[in-house]
Amino acid sequence: MRRSHAALLAVLVVVAMPTAGSAQSSPETIACFTHFFEYVGAVGRGDLEAAETFWRPADRRAAHRLGITHPHEMLLKIDSDSPLWRIQPGLADSTADVKYGPAMRTEAGPLAGTYTLMLRVYEGARRLRKQYLFLPDDQGGYRLASRARYVAEQGPATSGRHVTVFERRPGRPWTLPPHLLENLDAAVAGMADHLGMSPERRATLEKEKLHYLLAAPGVVEYLAGAPTVGVADLQVDMVITHHPYHVHELAHLLINVWLEEVPLYTLPLLQEGLATHLGGRWGRAPRVLARVGRTSLRTGVVTLDELLTRRDFHGASADLTYAPAGVFAGYLLDAFGADGLRRAYLACSGSLDEVDAWSADEVAARIAGAVGEDWTELVAGFERRLEVDAAARTLAPTPAEAALEGPITTLAMQHLQLEAAEGRDRVRLRLHAEDGPARAAVLFGGGDGPGGENPLLAEQVPGRPYRGETHVLILTPQEAKLYDLRTRTLIGLHSEGFWPGDEYAVDAGATLRLDVAPGVLPPLEAAILLPLSR
């Protein structure tokens, strides 16, 4: 039997405020619980103006700074991830199944020394929860506060043109990875260009900036509520991550800046697809995932129909869905322009119940109607595009009949020799090992001095200290991988298991032949060839 909201509160007040002097109670915990009790009352009445006053003014300003709104939604942006809004009608008529309290002092972790309270909402078999944070205000009371912003405020910050980076890595000095702000700013500017962002929205972005919390993995996990590399906090438009170049999550924030007005929920085909098209994912650049996605769709590993509904998309592994969805979002942008993509994105957005209920046919109709093209014709155009493989593949096997032509640079180390010829449209590489399968790393750029830590280089070339190198090319008979060490991102990939051929590895793997797109690698004369263990 469900308890009414009022009856449940009466029970919880007793739990939160036991006998005076009890170890479970203090003036602070009572004040925090009372504050939350009154906040829930304002939410239940639908009084958003009053409800917003229960939050710290600084957090309210942060939530509104970029002008992003969720029209037709009964909620506060600063608290838009709360399950309270799903049960708001039930709060008003006392039918909601909700529990919260008691307020408690947090003794350890990123919020140590503060007071928190856990909200729990029950929807049938679903159990939804959110931890709320309370901070003292200047009137002797407490206000609700953004956990992410509170953590960010505990460390130093520095701003670039588009991004402000906060660091929260306890025990580490304030030494950001080299070129971090420059890289993030460049990524945001490139994505804004790709979306055709208006001058007005660009001006707002430059003034207010996207926020980027670079934190220790444990802090990220605590704030996200699960193990993850990073997440986008849409309440205060902040990326929370332990990766120095988490562009996929920045893309989620930037898309909302571009749209300005957007419903709270969007079909993952476009929400995750567009973020993948713009920012890549899993430390892989967009063009790498685009090639993976095209191949997956062409070979039937996944079909467009299997990506349309929210249920089907989330029912499959992200390894199968994100890259193909990125290809489709990119096609909509290329074929129908930024305005067409905007219409399609908004047509696939709505309340959670709406988005969750759309069938595949309804999704197809919504997208087709938004761009003004029959769905059958749209799919036919998309399939034709898939037949055109990546026009600018970063890495590709050298055609069997091709020879090294032009000036040749030679690098040698132990049993390995690398020859490279720079042509007009390709850098042609040939690696040969004298005593078995060829396995090597080619390091580009950098100097002889220490370059700090670089976990990616440590993983790919164990035992090699990082000295500021910009790229590493890993060559084995199974695959060729090109990494940008500055952003710790895979920017080129050829996998013999995914794109099999008889041109890359020959002579039982003793010779590897590869073409690299121009302008990707620094001068080969400064490169270093290193053998990899077999």
Side-chain angles (χ1 to χ4, degrees):
M1 179 177 181
R2 288 162 129 190
R3 296 173 177 173
S4 73
H5 177 59
L8 185 59
L9 283 177
V11 173
L12 289 175
V13 168
V14 173
V15 173
M17 297 184 293
T19 316
S22 164
Q24 295 180 344
S25 175
S26 70
E28 292 82 8
T29 58
I30 293 172
C32 292
F33 181 87
T34 302
H35 189 77
F36 194 75
F37 178 91
E38 294 172 351
Y39 175 65
V40 173
V43 171
R45 295 192 305 272
D47 189 344
L48 298 185
E49 184 175 349
E52 192 162 43
T53 65
F54 286 80
W55 288 83
R56 275 200 315 173
D59 293 327
R60 287 150 49 188
R61 286 194 296 271
H64 295 304
R65 74 183 190 281
L66 291 166
I68 299 168
T69 61
H70 303 300
H72 316 302
E73 299 278 0
M74 171 61 74
L75 53 78
L76 298 178
K77 183 175 182 294
I78 184 62
D79 196 26
S80 60
D81 61 336
S82 174
L84 273 179
W85 307 106
R86 288 190 55 76
I87 60 165
Q88 189 273 334
L91 293 176
D93 62 17
S94 298
T95 61
D97 195 352
V98 56
K99 298 179 181 179
Y100 52 85
M104 302 177 67
R105 180 179 171 87
T106 304
E107 300 298 340
L111 304 183
T114 67
Y115 294 91
T116 61
L117 175 151
M118 187 64 71
L119 167 75
R120 297 175 180 84
V121 170
Y122 303 87
E123 286 188 325
R126 297 180 68 193
R127 301 292 186 266
L128 308 175
R129 51 187 278 167
K130 178 177 178 176
Q131 183 189 54
Y132 282 85
L133 169 67
F134 302 86
L135 294 177
D137 63 18
D138 56 5
Q139 299 175 356
Y142 285 84
R143 297 286 183 97
L144 292 167
S146 161
R147 299 188 312 154
R149 275 185 48 81
Y150 171 76
V151 171
E153 290 167 359
Q154 306 313 301
T158 186
S159 294
R161 183 176 181 184
H162 303 295
V163 180
T164 294
V165 175
F166 302 85
E167 187 190 38
R168 190 71 175 99
R169 298 184 291 173
R172 297 196 180 203
W174 174 239
T175 52
L176 291 177
H179 312 295
L180 181 139
L181 266 175
E182 176 186 339
N183 294 334
L184 295 177
D185 275 340
V188 171
M191 292 189 290
D193 288 343
H194 207 31
L195 291 171
M197 186 176 288
S198 71
E200 294 78 14
R201 297 304 287 155
R202 285 176 180 270
T204 297
L205 178 62
E206 289 190 17
K207 177 183 177 183
E208 301 295 346
K209 309 188 190 313
L210 302 180
H211 289 174
Y212 195 94
L213 173 57
L214 183 62
V219 175
V220 175
E221 180 176 342
Y222 184 90
L223 293 176
T228 183
V229 174
V231 294
D233 185 319
L234 302 181
Q235 291 68 56
V236 293
D237 302 301
M238 175 185 289
V239 172
I240 304 165
T241 183
H242 59 80
H243 194 286
Y245 192 70
H246 207 149
V247 183
H248 180 91
E249 299 303 332
L250 273 176
H252 281 304
L253 301 184
L254 188 74
I255 290 166
N256 284 356
V257 175
W258 170 60
L259 293 168
E260 193 170 0
E261 293 184 0
V262 59
L264 198 57
Y265 295 94
T266 302
L267 286 171
L269 171 63
L270 290 187
Q271 184 177 52
E272 298 298 345
L274 184 53
T276 300
H277 173 69
L278 295 172
R281 195 170 185 264
W282 311 295
R284 297 176 174 90
R287 59 185 170 191
V288 171
L289 289 180
R291 191 174 177 217
V292 171
R294 278 190 293 269
T295 302
S296 298
L297 287 161
R298 282 204 312 268
T299 58
V301 172
V302 66
T303 68
L304 180 58
D305 286 345
E306 294 170 330
L307 302 174
L308 294 178
T309 69
R310 189 172 187 268
R311 191 178 306 273
D312 286 345
F313 192 100
H314 287 312
S317 166
D319 291 335
L320 292 176
T321 56
Y322 277 59
V327 175
F328 182 71
Y331 172 73
L332 293 181
L333 180 57
D334 291 344
F336 303 102
D339 288 342
L341 175 63
R342 176 191 293 269
R343 293 193 301 271
Y345 197 99
L346 294 177
C348 292
S349 302
S351 70
L352 177 60
D353 291 338
E354 289 172 332
V355 172
D356 205 39
W358 288 330
S359 67
D361 287 342
E362 288 174 309
V363 173
R366 296 183 78 84
I367 295 174
V371 300
E373 182 167 278
D374 179 79
W375 178 251
T376 302
E377 290 300 316
L378 189 155
V379 171
F382 179 54
E383 290 177 345
R384 287 192 295 271
R385 178 67 62 87
L386 293 179
E387 294 305 317
V388 181
D389 199 4
R393 284 186 291 172
T394 308
L395 306 181
T398 301
E401 70 280 2
L404 293 175
E405 297 179 353
I408 296 177
T409 300
T410 302
L411 302 176
M413 172 63 72
Q414 298 179 12
H415 59 280
L416 294 169
Q417 178 171 292
L418 176 70
E419 295 180 302
E422 297 190 48
R424 288 182 302 174
D425 60 350
R426 285 278 150 175
V427 177
R428 189 148 284 165
L429 303 177
R430 181 172 295 170
L431 177 69
H432 180 71
E434 297 176 355
D435 58 353
R439 296 177 58 85
V442 187
L443 286 164
F444 297 85
D448 296 328
E453 63 178 19
N454 193 300
L456 177 59
L457 182 64
E459 175 187 347
Q460 297 299 322
V461 191
R464 166 72 182 188
Y466 180 55
R467 295 169 181 161
E469 292 88 356
T470 61
H471 296 76
V472 62
L473 177 64
I474 304 296
L475 298 169
T476 72
Q478 292 75 39
E479 60 186 356
K481 300 181 292 185
L482 177 61
Y483 291 97
D484 186 326
L485 292 171
R486 299 162 298 185
T487 61
R488 303 181 195 175
T489 302
L490 179 69
I491 62 173
L493 172 68
H494 173 73
S495 170
E496 281 291 280
F498 205 62
W499 298 291
D502 57 4
E503 302 165 337
Y504 169 63
V506 296
D507 303 331
T511 299
L512 308 179
R513 307 188 308 176
L514 188 72
D515 286 358
V516 183
V520 172
L521 299 177
L524 286 156
E525 292 80 5
I528 299 172
L529 179 66
L530 296 174
L532 295 177
S533 61
R534 293 171 176 168

